Amino acid sequence: GLEDAAAATIRQLLKRNCVRQAEAHFFPLEKPCISSCNALMEYYVRHGDAARAATLLDFMLERRLLPTMETYAAMCDIMAFHGHVALVQNMLEILLSHNMEVSLHFYTALITACGNKCPPDTATAERTFRRAVRKGFRAHDFRRGLDRAVGARRAQELISWAQFLPVQRDDLPLSAALISWGLPGSLSSHSEQTPPGDEGDDSAFVTERL
């Protein structure tokens, strides 16, 4: 039908890198088909355009064009493979802001993206790890991604130290209330009985964007 014809036109335009013309066909549609959405998303991911990918995902959610979480996860895998940290991060933020349940897969994808970026984004990898563990995910599930993002030695330190992190059961976006505890370079620099940041000091919580 008309939706299939529109999707075919959009794909042809994108093959010729005529992205502005493709967008001119896409965004005025009252309810574009998922095929058109995926075509644009694939283009943005391939070209590392974090801003437009985030805008498109938000547009899809507002129009109730809801792919399965498996589709979102697949998008994140592509982004992570190419080291597009901002793309994975933005998708995670948007999903959380729409109160969608975010699985372990999305956090591991973000850490993987950090490792695949050149140079690796070690700071974002560590912040994402701390956030995920505080939400109840198992520290060891991040070992492979952490090894690549921060190095095997640092990964072991983070995983060993994660036992001190209290679990928080909220669904705040990653840009809010992140823990900034200044992880030690060596575990021996802190007492096991009193992990840093556990003294009830509200100053340990900061608002920063990954």
Side-chain angles (χ1 to χ4, degrees), residues 45-117:
V45 168
R46 195 163 58 248
H47 289 79
D49 195 332
R52 281 190 166 82
T55 298
L56 175 59
L57 183 58
D58 213 19
F59 172 86
M60 292 168 65
L61 294 173
E62 288 175 358
R63 298 295 181 90
R64 298 188 180 279
L65 298 169
L66 302 177
T68 64
M69 292 304 287
E70 286 78 9
T71 301
Y72 288 123
M75 291 178 186
C76 277
D77 286 343
I78 296 171
M79 299 172 189
F81 179 79
H82 292 286
H84 295 317
V85 174
L87 285 171
V88 182
Q89 179 179 308
N90 285 346
M91 178 172 284
L92 188 52
E93 291 271 10
I94 290 170
L95 293 176
L96 288 169
S97 70
H98 283 80
N99 298 318
M100 301 183 74
E101 184 176 351
V102 176
S103 68
L104 169 72
H105 194 103
F106 292 90
Y107 292 98
T108 56
L110 182 49
I111 292 175
T112 297
C114 292
N116 289 338
K117 187 176 180 180

